[in-house]
Amino acid sequence: MPRILFDFDGLTLEAETLDTRTAAAILKSLPIEVRVQTWGEEVYFDIGVSVPREKDAHAVVKAGEIAYWPDGEAIAIGFGRTPISAPGEIRLASPCNIWAKAISDVKMLKPVRAGSRVRVTLKA
């Protein structure tokens, strides 16, 4: 599957896409460059792609799962606790479609602040 790069103002996260309709829709929209928001230890950003919630969508994710949040038309990358997480879990705001898996350690996103830019591209 294609690999993508998330460049957060110099912090680069690499991920491998999965074979899903969500991944296909997002890949068609690349490259994108937007400003990010944060929510606890989650970085998310609007991508202007509308994809319905998939049957296996879930709100509790594992570190490294790259999610698409249908309710906000955004990519969400959780790397730790959010305001609604129970101890030891990464809980996103509502069920999300998992469309990629990080190859790099997502905890590297801890210094990313709201308003930072992210550029998402296919890896050459």
PDB file of all heavy atoms in Angstrom, residues 82-120:
ATOM      1  N   THR A  82      -6.798  11.736  25.810  1.00  0.00           N
ATOM      2  CA  THR A  82      -7.620  12.881  25.429  1.00  0.00           C
ATOM      3  C   THR A  82      -8.486  13.217  26.642  1.00  0.00           C
ATOM      4  O   THR A  82      -8.515  12.450  27.614  1.00  0.00           O
ATOM      5  CB  THR A  82      -8.522  12.559  24.215  1.00  0.00           C
ATOM      6  OG1 THR A  82      -9.490  11.575  24.609  1.00  0.00           O
ATOM      7  CG2 THR A  82      -7.711  12.065  23.021  1.00  0.00           C
ATOM      8  N   PRO A  83      -9.221  14.329  26.610  1.00  0.00           N
ATOM      9  CA  PRO A  83     -10.049  14.679  27.768  1.00  0.00           C
ATOM     10  C   PRO A  83     -11.087  13.621  28.163  1.00  0.00           C
ATOM     11  O   PRO A  83     -11.558  13.631  29.292  1.00  0.00           O
ATOM     12  CB  PRO A  83     -10.716  15.978  27.329  1.00  0.00           C
ATOM     13  CG  PRO A  83      -9.718  16.600  26.399  1.00  0.00           C
ATOM     14  CD  PRO A  83      -9.147  15.434  25.647  1.00  0.00           C
ATOM     15  N   ILE A  84     -11.442  12.698  27.268  1.00  0.00           N
ATOM     16  CA  ILE A  84     -12.446  11.684  27.606  1.00  0.00           C
ATOM     17  C   ILE A  84     -11.862  10.279  27.735  1.00  0.00           C
ATOM     18  O   ILE A  84     -12.604   9.310  27.884  1.00  0.00           O
ATOM     19  CB  ILE A  84     -13.618  11.686  26.594  1.00  0.00           C
ATOM     20  CG1 ILE A  84     -13.141  11.380  25.174  1.00  0.00           C
ATOM     21  CG2 ILE A  84     -14.385  13.002  26.662  1.00  0.00           C
ATOM     22  CD1 ILE A  84     -14.268  11.155  24.174  1.00  0.00           C
ATOM     23  N   SER A  85     -10.545  10.152  27.712  1.00  0.00           N
ATOM     24  CA  SER A  85      -9.899   8.841  27.835  1.00  0.00           C
ATOM     25  C   SER A  85     -10.003   8.313  29.257  1.00  0.00           C
ATOM     26  O   SER A  85      -9.870   9.061  30.223  1.00  0.00           O
ATOM     27  CB  SER A  85      -8.410   8.940  27.483  1.00  0.00           C
ATOM     28  OG  SER A  85      -8.206   9.228  26.131  1.00  0.00           O
ATOM     29  N   ALA A  86     -10.216   7.006  29.360  1.00  0.00           N
ATOM     30  CA  ALA A  86     -10.067   6.326  30.641  1.00  0.00           C
ATOM     31  C   ALA A  86      -8.566   6.066  30.811  1.00  0.00           C
ATOM     32  O   ALA A  86      -7.810   6.147  29.844  1.00  0.00           O
ATOM     33  CB  ALA A  86     -10.846   5.016  30.632  1.00  0.00           C
ATOM     34  N   PRO A  87      -8.124   5.757  32.014  1.00  0.00           N
ATOM     35  CA  PRO A  87      -6.694   5.483  32.207  1.00  0.00           C
ATOM     36  C   PRO A  87      -6.190   4.401  31.237  1.00  0.00           C
ATOM     37  O   PRO A  87      -6.832   3.371  31.047  1.00  0.00           O
ATOM     38  CB  PRO A  87      -6.616   4.999  33.658  1.00  0.00           C
ATOM     39  CG  PRO A  87      -7.781   5.672  34.321  1.00  0.00           C
ATOM     40  CD  PRO A  87      -8.867   5.680  33.279  1.00  0.00           C
ATOM     41  N   GLY A  88      -5.067   4.698  30.600  1.00  0.00           N
ATOM     42  CA  GLY A  88      -4.434   3.726  29.721  1.00  0.00           C
ATOM     43  C   GLY A  88      -5.007   3.603  28.325  1.00  0.00           C
ATOM     44  O   GLY A  88      -4.619   2.710  27.582  1.00  0.00           O
ATOM     45  N   GLU A  89      -5.941   4.474  27.943  1.00  0.00           N
ATOM     46  CA  GLU A  89      -6.502   4.364  26.591  1.00  0.00           C
ATOM     47  C   GLU A  89      -6.366   5.677  25.830  1.00  0.00           C
ATOM     48  O   GLU A  89      -6.204   6.739  26.418  1.00  0.00           O
ATOM     49  CB  GLU A  89      -7.974   3.922  26.616  1.00  0.00           C
ATOM     50  CG  GLU A  89      -8.935   4.976  27.100  1.00  0.00           C
ATOM     51  CD  GLU A  89     -10.404   4.561  27.050  1.00  0.00           C
ATOM     52  OE1 GLU A  89     -10.716   3.363  26.861  1.00  0.00           O
ATOM     53  OE2 GLU A  89     -11.252   5.438  27.214  1.00  0.00           O
ATOM     54  N   ILE A  90      -6.462   5.553  24.515  1.00  0.00           N
ATOM     55  CA  ILE A  90      -6.515   6.704  23.616  1.00  0.00           C
ATOM     56  C   ILE A  90      -7.934   6.700  23.052  1.00  0.00           C
ATOM     57  O   ILE A  90      -8.288   5.841  22.251  1.00  0.00           O
ATOM     58  CB  ILE A  90      -5.488   6.585  22.473  1.00  0.00           C
ATOM     59  CG1 ILE A  90      -4.068   6.450  23.023  1.00  0.00           C
ATOM     60  CG2 ILE A  90      -5.601   7.781  21.526  1.00  0.00           C
ATOM     61  CD1 ILE A  90      -3.034   6.066  21.973  1.00  0.00           C
ATOM     62  N   ARG A  91      -8.761   7.638  23.514  1.00  0.00           N
ATOM     63  CA  ARG A  91     -10.161   7.691  23.080  1.00  0.00           C
ATOM     64  C   ARG A  91     -10.394   8.960  22.272  1.00  0.00           C
ATOM     65  O   ARG A  91     -10.234  10.069  22.767  1.00  0.00           O
ATOM     66  CB  ARG A  91     -11.119   7.650  24.265  1.00  0.00           C
ATOM     67  CG  ARG A  91     -12.610   7.643  23.837  1.00  0.00           C
ATOM     68  CD  ARG A  91     -13.540   7.525  25.022  1.00  0.00           C
ATOM     69  NE  ARG A  91     -13.398   6.238  25.686  1.00  0.00           N
ATOM     70  CZ  ARG A  91     -14.077   5.137  25.332  1.00  0.00           C
ATOM     71  NH1 ARG A  91     -14.907   5.162  24.320  1.00  0.00           N
ATOM     72  NH2 ARG A  91     -13.894   4.017  26.012  1.00  0.00           N
ATOM     73  N   LEU A  92     -10.809   8.762  21.016  1.00  0.00           N
ATOM     74  CA  LEU A  92     -11.156   9.886  20.148  1.00  0.00           C
ATOM     75  C   LEU A  92     -12.585  10.325  20.442  1.00  0.00           C
ATOM     76  O   LEU A  92     -13.318   9.636  21.149  1.00  0.00           O
ATOM     77  CB  LEU A  92     -10.969   9.478  18.688  1.00  0.00           C
ATOM     78  CG  LEU A  92      -9.570   8.916  18.352  1.00  0.00           C
ATOM     79  CD1 LEU A  92      -9.485   8.525  16.886  1.00  0.00           C
ATOM     80  CD2 LEU A  92      -8.472   9.894  18.720  1.00  0.00           C
ATOM     81  N   ALA A  93     -13.001  11.461  19.900  1.00  0.00           N
ATOM     82  CA  ALA A  93     -14.294  12.068  20.235  1.00  0.00           C
ATOM     83  C   ALA A  93     -15.480  11.178  19.880  1.00  0.00           C
ATOM     84  O   ALA A  93     -16.495  11.181  20.574  1.00  0.00           O
ATOM     85  CB  ALA A  93     -14.435  13.423  19.545  1.00  0.00           C
ATOM     86  N   SER A  94     -15.381  10.429  18.790  1.00  0.00           N
ATOM     87  CA  SER A  94     -16.449   9.518  18.358  1.00  0.00           C
ATOM     88  C   SER A  94     -15.813   8.486  17.427  1.00  0.00           C
ATOM     89  O   SER A  94     -14.637   8.626  17.059  1.00  0.00           O
ATOM     90  CB  SER A  94     -17.579  10.293  17.669  1.00  0.00           C
ATOM     91  OG  SER A  94     -17.114  11.019  16.557  1.00  0.00           O
ATOM     92  N   PRO A  95     -16.555   7.446  17.031  1.00  0.00           N
ATOM     93  CA  PRO A  95     -15.952   6.407  16.195  1.00  0.00           C
ATOM     94  C   PRO A  95     -15.348   6.955  14.903  1.00  0.00           C
ATOM     95  O   PRO A  95     -15.925   7.806  14.238  1.00  0.00           O
ATOM     96  CB  PRO A  95     -17.122   5.464  15.903  1.00  0.00           C
ATOM     97  CG  PRO A  95     -18.021   5.630  17.085  1.00  0.00           C
ATOM     98  CD  PRO A  95     -17.930   7.101  17.407  1.00  0.00           C
ATOM     99  N   CYS A  96     -14.163   6.446  14.597  1.00  0.00           N
ATOM    100  CA  CYS A  96     -13.392   6.889  13.434  1.00  0.00           C
ATOM    101  C   CYS A  96     -13.014   5.701  12.560  1.00  0.00           C
ATOM    102  O   CYS A  96     -12.898   4.571  13.042  1.00  0.00           O
ATOM    103  CB  CYS A  96     -12.108   7.576  13.899  1.00  0.00           C
ATOM    104  SG  CYS A  96     -12.375   9.128  14.771  1.00  0.00           S
ATOM    105  N   ASN A  97     -12.779   5.993  11.289  1.00  0.00           N
ATOM    106  CA  ASN A  97     -12.302   4.994  10.335  1.00  0.00           C
ATOM    107  C   ASN A  97     -10.773   4.950  10.417  1.00  0.00           C
ATOM    108  O   ASN A  97     -10.124   5.981  10.269  1.00  0.00           O
ATOM    109  CB  ASN A  97     -12.691   5.369   8.902  1.00  0.00           C
ATOM    110  CG  ASN A  97     -14.191   5.525   8.715  1.00  0.00           C
ATOM    111  OD1 ASN A  97     -14.980   5.037   9.511  1.00  0.00           O
ATOM    112  ND2 ASN A  97     -14.578   6.219   7.669  1.00  0.00           N
ATOM    113  N   ILE A  98     -10.214   3.772  10.615  1.00  0.00           N
ATOM    114  CA  ILE A  98      -8.763   3.625  10.613  1.00  0.00           C
ATOM    115  C   ILE A  98      -8.349   3.375   9.168  1.00  0.00           C
ATOM    116  O   ILE A  98      -8.816   2.436   8.534  1.00  0.00           O
ATOM    117  CB  ILE A  98      -8.308   2.464  11.528  1.00  0.00           C
ATOM    118  CG1 ILE A  98      -8.857   2.656  12.950  1.00  0.00           C
ATOM    119  CG2 ILE A  98      -6.790   2.347  11.513  1.00  0.00           C
ATOM    120  CD1 ILE A  98      -8.518   3.972  13.605  1.00  0.00           C
ATOM    121  N   TRP A  99      -7.486   4.246   8.655  1.00  0.00           N
ATOM    122  CA  TRP A  99      -7.127   4.168   7.235  1.00  0.00           C
ATOM    123  C   TRP A  99      -5.630   4.078   6.981  1.00  0.00           C
ATOM    124  O   TRP A  99      -5.190   3.868   5.852  1.00  0.00           O
ATOM    125  CB  TRP A  99      -7.728   5.353   6.481  1.00  0.00           C
ATOM    126  CG  TRP A  99      -7.150   6.674   6.902  1.00  0.00           C
ATOM    127  CD1 TRP A  99      -7.517   7.424   7.987  1.00  0.00           C
ATOM    128  CD2 TRP A  99      -6.082   7.377   6.276  1.00  0.00           C
ATOM    129  NE1 TRP A  99      -6.735   8.540   8.072  1.00  0.00           N
ATOM    130  CE2 TRP A  99      -5.849   8.546   7.023  1.00  0.00           C
ATOM    131  CE3 TRP A  99      -5.301   7.131   5.140  1.00  0.00           C
ATOM    132  CZ2 TRP A  99      -4.864   9.466   6.690  1.00  0.00           C
ATOM    133  CZ3 TRP A  99      -4.322   8.049   4.808  1.00  0.00           C
ATOM    134  CH2 TRP A  99      -4.118   9.201   5.570  1.00  0.00           C
ATOM    135  N   ALA A 100      -4.806   4.184   8.041  1.00  0.00           N
ATOM    136  CA  ALA A 100      -3.361   4.065   7.892  1.00  0.00           C
ATOM    137  C   ALA A 100      -2.751   3.682   9.236  1.00  0.00           C
ATOM    138  O   ALA A 100      -3.398   3.818  10.283  1.00  0.00           O
ATOM    139  CB  ALA A 100      -2.758   5.376   7.395  1.00  0.00           C
ATOM    140  N   LYS A 101      -1.519   3.199   9.171  1.00  0.00           N
ATOM    141  CA  LYS A 101      -0.758   2.840  10.372  1.00  0.00           C
ATOM    142  C   LYS A 101       0.579   3.573  10.326  1.00  0.00           C
ATOM    143  O   LYS A 101       1.279   3.525   9.314  1.00  0.00           O
ATOM    144  CB  LYS A 101      -0.478   1.338  10.422  1.00  0.00           C
ATOM    145  CG  LYS A 101      -1.715   0.473  10.420  1.00  0.00           C
ATOM    146  CD  LYS A 101      -2.201   0.205  11.785  1.00  0.00           C
ATOM    147  CE  LYS A 101      -3.394  -0.751  11.688  1.00  0.00           C
ATOM    148  NZ  LYS A 101      -3.852  -1.232  12.915  1.00  0.00           N
ATOM    149  N   ALA A 102       0.905   4.225  11.408  1.00  0.00           N
ATOM    150  CA  ALA A 102       2.168   4.957  11.489  1.00  0.00           C
ATOM    151  C   ALA A 102       3.340   3.985  11.502  1.00  0.00           C
ATOM    152  O   ALA A 102       3.283   2.936  12.139  1.00  0.00           O
ATOM    153  CB  ALA A 102       2.193   5.826  12.733  1.00  0.00           C
ATOM    154  N   ILE A 103       4.386   4.341  10.793  1.00  0.00           N
ATOM    155  CA  ILE A 103       5.634   3.593  10.814  1.00  0.00           C
ATOM    156  C   ILE A 103       6.543   4.226  11.866  1.00  0.00           C
ATOM    157  O   ILE A 103       7.240   3.538  12.595  1.00  0.00           O
ATOM    158  CB  ILE A 103       6.289   3.589   9.425  1.00  0.00           C
ATOM    159  CG1 ILE A 103       5.377   2.812   8.471  1.00  0.00           C
ATOM    160  CG2 ILE A 103       7.692   2.995   9.467  1.00  0.00           C
ATOM    161  CD1 ILE A 103       5.713   2.987   7.025  1.00  0.00           C
ATOM    162  N   SER A 104       6.490   5.543  11.951  1.00  0.00           N
ATOM    163  CA  SER A 104       7.236   6.281  12.970  1.00  0.00           C
ATOM    164  C   SER A 104       6.436   6.260  14.278  1.00  0.00           C
ATOM    165  O   SER A 104       5.248   5.956  14.291  1.00  0.00           O
ATOM    166  CB  SER A 104       7.426   7.728  12.526  1.00  0.00           C
ATOM    167  OG  SER A 104       7.871   7.819  11.204  1.00  0.00           O
ATOM    168  N   ASP A 105       7.073   6.631  15.379  1.00  0.00           N
ATOM    169  CA  ASP A 105       6.426   6.679  16.689  1.00  0.00           C
ATOM    170  C   ASP A 105       5.557   7.932  16.797  1.00  0.00           C
ATOM    171  O   ASP A 105       6.066   9.048  16.732  1.00  0.00           O
ATOM    172  CB  ASP A 105       7.496   6.677  17.777  1.00  0.00           C
ATOM    173  CG  ASP A 105       6.933   6.633  19.185  1.00  0.00           C
ATOM    174  OD1 ASP A 105       5.688   6.621  19.351  1.00  0.00           O
ATOM    175  OD2 ASP A 105       7.735   6.623  20.128  1.00  0.00           O
ATOM    176  N   VAL A 106       4.244   7.755  16.975  1.00  0.00           N
ATOM    177  CA  VAL A 106       3.325   8.902  17.032  1.00  0.00           C
ATOM    178  C   VAL A 106       3.548   9.786  18.259  1.00  0.00           C
ATOM    179  O   VAL A 106       3.140  10.939  18.262  1.00  0.00           O
ATOM    180  CB  VAL A 106       1.839   8.461  16.960  1.00  0.00           C
ATOM    181  CG1 VAL A 106       1.512   7.907  15.599  1.00  0.00           C
ATOM    182  CG2 VAL A 106       1.494   7.482  18.060  1.00  0.00           C
ATOM    183  N   LYS A 107       4.222   9.283  19.275  1.00  0.00           N
ATOM    184  CA  LYS A 107       4.488  10.110  20.462  1.00  0.00           C
ATOM    185  C   LYS A 107       5.387  11.298  20.122  1.00  0.00           C
ATOM    186  O   LYS A 107       5.461  12.256  20.876  1.00  0.00           O
ATOM    187  CB  LYS A 107       5.070   9.266  21.579  1.00  0.00           C
ATOM    188  CG  LYS A 107       4.047   8.284  22.139  1.00  0.00           C
ATOM    189  CD  LYS A 107       4.458   7.750  23.466  1.00  0.00           C
ATOM    190  CE  LYS A 107       3.448   6.763  24.013  1.00  0.00           C
ATOM    191  NZ  LYS A 107       2.217   7.340  24.429  1.00  0.00           N
ATOM    192  N   MET A 108       6.043  11.252  18.964  1.00  0.00           N
ATOM    193  CA  MET A 108       6.870  12.385  18.526  1.00  0.00           C
ATOM    194  C   MET A 108       6.025  13.631  18.282  1.00  0.00           C
ATOM    195  O   MET A 108       6.548  14.730  18.192  1.00  0.00           O
ATOM    196  CB  MET A 108       7.625  12.028  17.241  1.00  0.00           C
ATOM    197  CG  MET A 108       6.691  11.839  16.050  1.00  0.00           C
ATOM    198  SD  MET A 108       7.520  11.482  14.513  1.00  0.00           S
ATOM    199  CE  MET A 108       8.099  13.086  14.114  1.00  0.00           C
ATOM    200  N   LEU A 109       4.683  13.470  18.208  1.00  0.00           N
ATOM    201  CA  LEU A 109       3.792  14.600  17.940  1.00  0.00           C
ATOM    202  C   LEU A 109       3.505  15.431  19.190  1.00  0.00           C
ATOM    203  O   LEU A 109       2.848  16.464  19.096  1.00  0.00           O
ATOM    204  CB  LEU A 109       2.489  14.114  17.316  1.00  0.00           C
ATOM    205  CG  LEU A 109       2.629  13.379  15.980  1.00  0.00           C
ATOM    206  CD1 LEU A 109       1.262  12.908  15.493  1.00  0.00           C
ATOM    207  CD2 LEU A 109       3.307  14.259  14.951  1.00  0.00           C
ATOM    208  N   LYS A 110       3.988  15.012  20.336  1.00  0.00           N
ATOM    209  CA  LYS A 110       3.706  15.726  21.593  1.00  0.00           C
ATOM    210  C   LYS A 110       4.004  17.226  21.522  1.00  0.00           C
ATOM    211  O   LYS A 110       3.224  18.017  22.037  1.00  0.00           O
ATOM    212  CB  LYS A 110       4.461  15.066  22.742  1.00  0.00           C
ATOM    213  CG  LYS A 110       3.980  15.503  24.099  1.00  0.00           C
ATOM    214  CD  LYS A 110       4.532  14.594  25.179  1.00  0.00           C
ATOM    215  CE  LYS A 110       3.994  14.943  26.528  1.00  0.00           C
ATOM    216  NZ  LYS A 110       2.682  14.433  26.825  1.00  0.00           N
ATOM    217  N   PRO A 111       5.082  17.685  20.865  1.00  0.00           N
ATOM    218  CA  PRO A 111       5.338  19.129  20.825  1.00  0.00           C
ATOM    219  C   PRO A 111       4.471  19.917  19.834  1.00  0.00           C
ATOM    220  O   PRO A 111       4.513  21.146  19.830  1.00  0.00           O
ATOM    221  CB  PRO A 111       6.817  19.240  20.438  1.00  0.00           C
ATOM    222  CG  PRO A 111       7.275  17.902  20.034  1.00  0.00           C
ATOM    223  CD  PRO A 111       6.224  16.910  20.393  1.00  0.00           C
ATOM    224  N   VAL A 112       3.679  19.234  18.998  1.00  0.00           N
ATOM    225  CA  VAL A 112       2.858  19.943  18.007  1.00  0.00           C
ATOM    226  C   VAL A 112       1.771  20.736  18.727  1.00  0.00           C
ATOM    227  O   VAL A 112       1.075  20.221  19.595  1.00  0.00           O
ATOM    228  CB  VAL A 112       2.235  18.953  16.989  1.00  0.00           C
ATOM    229  CG1 VAL A 112       1.275  19.667  16.045  1.00  0.00           C
ATOM    230  CG2 VAL A 112       3.324  18.235  16.210  1.00  0.00           C
ATOM    231  N   ARG A 113       1.623  21.981  18.370  1.00  0.00           N
ATOM    232  CA  ARG A 113       0.651  22.883  18.990  1.00  0.00           C
ATOM    233  C   ARG A 113      -0.437  23.278  17.998  1.00  0.00           C
ATOM    234  O   ARG A 113      -0.206  23.301  16.787  1.00  0.00           O
ATOM    235  CB  ARG A 113       1.344  24.152  19.502  1.00  0.00           C
ATOM    236  CG  ARG A 113       2.378  23.891  20.562  1.00  0.00           C
ATOM    237  CD  ARG A 113       1.722  23.409  21.860  1.00  0.00           C
ATOM    238  NE  ARG A 113       2.698  22.999  22.844  1.00  0.00           N
ATOM    239  CZ  ARG A 113       2.814  21.751  23.308  1.00  0.00           C
ATOM    240  NH1 ARG A 113       2.038  20.802  22.865  1.00  0.00           N
ATOM    241  NH2 ARG A 113       3.708  21.454  24.220  1.00  0.00           N
ATOM    242  N   ALA A 114      -1.600  23.628  18.515  1.00  0.00           N
ATOM    243  CA  ALA A 114      -2.695  24.123  17.676  1.00  0.00           C
ATOM    244  C   ALA A 114      -2.186  25.305  16.861  1.00  0.00           C
ATOM    245  O   ALA A 114      -1.461  26.159  17.376  1.00  0.00           O
ATOM    246  CB  ALA A 114      -3.883  24.532  18.541  1.00  0.00           C
ATOM    247  N   GLY A 115      -2.566  25.323  15.595  1.00  0.00           N
ATOM    248  CA  GLY A 115      -2.136  26.392  14.704  1.00  0.00           C
ATOM    249  C   GLY A 115      -0.913  26.042  13.878  1.00  0.00           C
ATOM    250  O   GLY A 115      -0.599  26.724  12.910  1.00  0.00           O
ATOM    251  N   SER A 116      -0.208  24.965  14.270  1.00  0.00           N
ATOM    252  CA  SER A 116       0.938  24.515  13.474  1.00  0.00           C
ATOM    253  C   SER A 116       0.435  24.051  12.111  1.00  0.00           C
ATOM    254  O   SER A 116      -0.705  23.622  11.968  1.00  0.00           O
ATOM    255  CB  SER A 116       1.641  23.331  14.151  1.00  0.00           C
ATOM    256  OG  SER A 116       2.149  23.680  15.401  1.00  0.00           O
ATOM    257  N   ARG A 117       1.315  24.109  11.131  1.00  0.00           N
ATOM    258  CA  ARG A 117       0.966  23.626   9.796  1.00  0.00           C
ATOM    259  C   ARG A 117       1.343  22.158   9.659  1.00  0.00           C
ATOM    260  O   ARG A 117       2.335  21.707  10.221  1.00  0.00           O
ATOM    261  CB  ARG A 117       1.699  24.412   8.715  1.00  0.00           C
ATOM    262  CG  ARG A 117       1.155  25.787   8.502  1.00  0.00           C
ATOM    263  CD  ARG A 117       1.604  26.300   7.143  1.00  0.00           C
ATOM    264  NE  ARG A 117       0.811  27.391   6.685  1.00  0.00           N
ATOM    265  CZ  ARG A 117      -0.415  27.310   6.178  1.00  0.00           C
ATOM    266  NH1 ARG A 117      -1.008  26.158   6.093  1.00  0.00           N
ATOM    267  NH2 ARG A 117      -1.047  28.370   5.764  1.00  0.00           N
ATOM    268  N   VAL A 118       0.531  21.435   8.890  1.00  0.00           N
ATOM    269  CA  VAL A 118       0.873  20.063   8.497  1.00  0.00           C
ATOM    270  C   VAL A 118       0.713  19.975   6.988  1.00  0.00           C
ATOM    271  O   VAL A 118      -0.214  20.548   6.409  1.00  0.00           O
ATOM    272  CB  VAL A 118       0.007  19.005   9.199  1.00  0.00           C
ATOM    273  CG1 VAL A 118      -1.474  19.128   8.835  1.00  0.00           C
ATOM    274  CG2 VAL A 118       0.508  17.597   8.869  1.00  0.00           C
ATOM    275  N   ARG A 119       1.653  19.303   6.364  1.00  0.00           N
ATOM    276  CA  ARG A 119       1.571  19.007   4.935  1.00  0.00           C
ATOM    277  C   ARG A 119       1.558  17.491   4.816  1.00  0.00           C
ATOM    278  O   ARG A 119       2.434  16.809   5.364  1.00  0.00           O
ATOM    279  CB  ARG A 119       2.762  19.599   4.200  1.00  0.00           C
ATOM    280  CG  ARG A 119       2.721  19.348   2.711  1.00  0.00           C
ATOM    281  CD  ARG A 119       3.724  20.244   1.988  1.00  0.00           C
ATOM    282  NE  ARG A 119       3.890  19.872   0.599  1.00  0.00           N
ATOM    283  CZ  ARG A 119       3.031  20.136  -0.370  1.00  0.00           C
ATOM    284  NH1 ARG A 119       1.917  20.782  -0.091  1.00  0.00           N
ATOM    285  NH2 ARG A 119       3.263  19.750  -1.601  1.00  0.00           N
ATOM    286  N   VAL A 120       0.541  16.966   4.119  1.00  0.00           N
ATOM    287  CA  VAL A 120       0.401  15.530   3.936  1.00  0.00           C
ATOM    288  C   VAL A 120       0.622  15.229   2.455  1.00  0.00           C
ATOM    289  O   VAL A 120      -0.060  15.782   1.592  1.00  0.00           O
ATOM    290  CB  VAL A 120      -0.997  15.028   4.370  1.00  0.00           C
ATOM    291  CG1 VAL A 120      -1.058  13.504   4.326  1.00  0.00           C
ATOM    292  CG2 VAL A 120      -1.350  15.542   5.770  1.00  0.00           C
TER     293      VAL A 120
END
